[in-house]
Amino acid sequence: MAQAFTTSLNKYFASVGNQVSFMLKFVRNIFRGGFEWNEFLRQCFIIGYKSIGLVALTGFILGFVLTLQTLPSLKTFGAESFVPGMVAVSIIREIGPVIIALICAGKIASSIGAELGSMKVTEQIDAMEVSSANPVQYLVVTRILACTCMIPLLTIMADTL
């Protein structure tokens, strides 16, 4: 019993240590010279522009369904005029950012994972290290910063729909 607890605790601390190490590498490489602007813009295009259709459809359906669900309840009390304001406030403040973040996490994270996984299998990441290119700066920093820039813009666009 105690050994199982110690083993799981060691695995937990090893996992936390790996995550902290990864985050430190990421922060260190943000401020290192030679930032890949072309790759950053390409990732912004892939993450932002190629997700517009899915995010727009999700935002529209979210507003439509919320309106359909609340209209009968408010009509009972004669408060139909409050529906647009209630829908706007609830989507902008609460449910819109959460749903769009989930949609983006599913679509964007799976595409990034598939791309990096295929690069690992075909040994492209190892080739970058051998040719003295920094794979963390080229592959990780550009993608995380592109996500950080584009997902709030996608959320604003979906909220306006």
Side-chain angles (χ1 to χ4, degrees), residues 95-149:
I95 198 164
V98 172
I99 297 297
I100 299 306
L102 288 173
I103 295 294
C104 289
K107 181 191 180 302
I108 295 166
S110 64
S111 69
I112 289 174
E115 183 181 12
L116 293 178
S118 69
M119 289 178 80
K120 183 68 174 173
V121 167
T122 58
E123 298 178 353
Q124 294 177 24
I125 297 174
D126 295 334
M128 289 177 76
E129 290 175 353
V130 167
S131 64
S132 73
N134 188 353
V136 173
Q137 189 170 19
Y138 186 79
L139 299 174
V140 176
V141 172
T142 55
R143 283 165 176 77
I144 291 176
L145 291 179
C147 285
T148 304
C149 293

Side-chain angles (χ1 to χ4, degrees), residues 86-106:
M86 189 274 313
V87 168
V89 167
S90 63
I91 286 179
I92 290 171
R93 286 187 184 170
E94 299 293 331
I95 198 164
V98 172
I99 297 297
I100 299 306
L102 288 173
I103 295 294
C104 289

